Amino acid sequence: MTGERGFSWDEEERLAALRSYAVLDTPPEPDFDDIAHLAAHICGSPVAAISLVEDRRQWFKAEVGLGLRETPIEVSFCAKAALSPGLTVVPDAAADPRFAGNPLVAEHPRLRFYAGARLDTPAGLPLGTLCVLDYVPRDLSREQGMALSTLARQVVAQLELRHAVVARDEALAASRRAEARQALLVRELHHRTRNQLADVQSLLGATARASRTIGEFYTAFSGRITALARTQGLLTEDYWQTAPLRSLVLSELRPFAEESGRVAVSGPDLHLAADLAVPLSMALHELATNAARHGSLSAPGGRVEVTWAEGREGGKRVLTLDWREQGGAPVRGPAREGVGSKMQRMLELQCGARVEIAYAPDGLRFRATAPLVEQRLVPTY
C-alpha cells in the first residue's frame, strides 16, 4: 500500500506487526487511558482516541467522549489519516471531499474537526493514530500539534514496552516449563534406570536357571538384552512416556516379515505406557524366539499372526493381544519351567495382565489382556 505522500508498505506485513503487539480486544489500561485524556485536554477537544486500524475495523485501545470500542473501517477517519505520515489535520470534515460523505459527519454525531498523529512502529509501519475530534470546525495550534505528535510517540513506546513485558513473561514461563520438564526427565530417568536394572537382574537369573551351557546362556541373554534395549530406544524417542505397539511387534518379527505370507500384523495404532511396553515387549521376544527355534517360524510353511484390539472391562480401557502360530512342527508343552513361564508371571505382576497360553495341535496360542493405564506425561514444549 502507498500513502498519499509516497510512503509504501506491505499491508500483510503491517497487519502482522499490529497483531504481534497482542493488544487488540484487550481491556482498558490506565497508561493508554491517561494519554487519551491528556490529548483531549491539551487540544481542547471533547473526543480523543487511540485508534488501531485493522483490515475491517478500527479498534480503540482508549477513548474519551466516544463511548465505542470500535467502528467499521468504512467510517474510519484514522484509516485515511494513516495513509500519510506524521500529523493529519482536517479543519472542517464537511468541506473535505475525503470525509464529507462519512456518516459520522453527515449524520449523528456530525463530527467536523479531526486531527490525528500517526502511530508508527520502529520499522515505520503505521498501526493507527492518536486522534482528537470536535463537533465544530477548528484548527490546532503549533504547540498542540507538537504535543499530539509527542503523545503519539508515547503510545508507540507503551505498545513496545507492553510487547517487551509480554515477551519477557513468555520467556520466563518457557524457562520455568523447561526447568520443570528437565526435573521430570531426571526423575523419569532415575525411575527407568532402576526398573531397567531390575529387569536385567531378573533376566539374568531366569536365563541362568534355564540354560544348560555357557553358550546357550550367552545367546539367550544377549537376545533378551537386545530386545530390552530396542524397547528402551522406542521409549526414549518419546521421553520415556510411550512406545508404539506396532513397532514393538515388528521389531521382533522383522527378520520374518520380509518373507511373503509368514507374518501378519494388524491392530489399531496404540502407544503403550512404559510399564506395559517393557514386559509386553519381552514376552513378544520370547514368543518370537520360541517360534523361530521350535514353532511355526522354524518350518518353511509356518506363519505367525499377531492381532490386538482396545476394549473395556469394568469401565476401564484394556488391551487384548493375540499371538497365533500355525504350520509349524507339532506343538508340545514345555517339559519344565523356563523363561517363558517367567515372562508370563512378569506380565501378570508388573502390569496386571491376564495371560492365557494354549498348546494347540496346529500351533501355539497366546493371549494377553492388560489394563491400558495413562502414561505419566513429561512436557515436550
Side-chain angles (χ1 to χ4, degrees):
M1 182 176 292
T2 303
E4 293 180 357
R5 300 178 192 172
F7 179 75
S8 62
W9 64 85
D10 179 82
E11 181 64 4
E12 291 300 320
E13 184 180 358
R14 186 192 76 81
L15 290 172
L18 172 60
R19 290 161 184 161
S20 73
Y21 287 96
V23 69
L24 294 170
D25 299 310
T26 56
E29 297 177 52
D31 290 339
F32 294 99
D33 291 342
D34 289 347
I35 292 176
H37 281 279
L38 186 57
H41 176 73
I42 290 173
C43 297
S45 301
V47 179
I50 297 173
S51 173
L52 301 174
V53 179
E54 212 175 4
D55 52 347
R56 294 191 176 98
R57 62 169 180 164
Q58 65 174 350
W59 181 78
F60 305 121
K61 177 57 185 170
E63 58 86 18
V64 176
L66 275 176
L68 300 172
R69 292 308 303 274
E70 65 179 70
T71 67
I73 198 70
E74 293 78 15
V75 301
S76 171
F77 282 69
C78 297
K80 291 183 172 61
L83 294 173
S84 300
L87 182 66
T88 297
V89 179
V90 182
D92 186 355
D96 191 311
R98 294 174 298 172
F99 305 105
N102 191 309
L104 300 179
V105 176
E107 303 169 13
H108 181 79
R110 297 189 181 280
L111 295 169
R112 299 293 294 274
F113 168 74
Y114 171 87
R118 199 169 79 173
L119 307 174
D120 288 336
T121 70
L125 296 170
L127 303 176
T129 69
L130 170 63
C131 62
V132 293
L133 302 99
D134 209 334
Y135 305 109
V136 296
R138 48 168 294 198
D139 208 338
L140 287 183
S141 69
R142 180 173 177 274
E143 291 76 14
Q144 288 173 324
M146 291 177 59
L148 192 63
S149 297
T150 300
L151 289 174
R153 290 192 292 272
Q154 289 305 306
V155 171
V156 175
Q158 286 295 328
L159 289 173
E160 287 288 320
L161 178 61
R162 190 182 186 281
H163 187 268
V165 169
V166 170
R168 180 207 63 189
D169 290 346
E170 290 177 349
L172 287 173
S175 177
R176 286 193 292 268
R177 290 195 299 269
E179 289 175 2
R181 172 176 168 269
Q182 186 68 24
L184 281 172
L185 285 174
V186 169
R187 287 198 296 271
E188 188 67 15
L189 178 59
H190 289 166
H191 172 76
R192 293 296 162 210
T193 300
R194 288 194 297 269
N195 282 0
Q196 191 168 358
L197 288 173
D199 291 337
V200 170
Q201 186 177 20
S202 176
L203 288 174
L204 178 63
T207 306
R209 287 189 292 272
S211 300
R212 296 179 177 85
T213 65
I214 293 296
E216 183 180 336
F217 166 80
Y218 178 80
T219 300
F221 188 64
S222 296
R224 286 159 189 154
I225 291 298
T226 300
L228 180 61
R230 281 197 298 265
T231 303
Q232 294 295 334
L234 290 171
L235 288 167
T236 55
E237 290 177 5
D238 192 30
Y239 296 96
W240 297 286
Q241 295 186 75
T242 63
L245 176 54
R246 190 178 303 275
S247 296
L248 293 178
V249 174
L250 291 177
S251 67
E252 297 302 333
L253 292 173
R254 185 164 288 111
F256 303 95
E258 298 175 358
E259 301 179 37
S260 177
R262 301 213 69 187
V263 171
V265 174
S266 65
D269 288 333
L270 288 177
H271 285 68
L272 306 184
D275 292 340
L276 174 57
V278 171
L280 185 59
S281 69
M282 298 310 299
L284 289 169
H285 174 74
E286 294 304 317
L287 289 165
T289 301
N290 184 74
R293 291 178 178 173
H294 314 292
S296 62
L297 296 179
S298 66
R303 65 191 304 269
V304 170
E305 180 183 8
V306 185
T307 61
W308 62 89
E310 180 182 349
R312 302 193 78 84
E313 286 186 2
K316 297 182 179 180
R317 297 170 60 225
V318 296
L319 164 71
T320 300
L321 181 139
D322 286 293
W323 173 288
R324 302 182 186 89
E325 299 182 28
Q326 58 183 355
V331 175
R332 297 191 304 271
R336 62 191 180 98
E337 182 179 74
V339 174
S341 301
K342 300 285 187 182
M343 290 299 111
Q344 179 177 348
R345 285 208 296 272
M346 182 174 68
L347 279 169
E348 294 170 344
L349 293 173
Q350 290 192 11
C351 57
R354 187 173 66 252
V355 177
E356 304 167 47
I357 300 178
Y359 299 95
D362 59 337
L364 177 70
R365 301 287 186 270
F366 170 91
R367 167 172 285 190
T369 303
L372 282 169
V373 297
E374 297 297 329
Q375 69 269 20
R376 289 173 295 179
L377 292 177
V378 177
T380 56
Y381 35 70

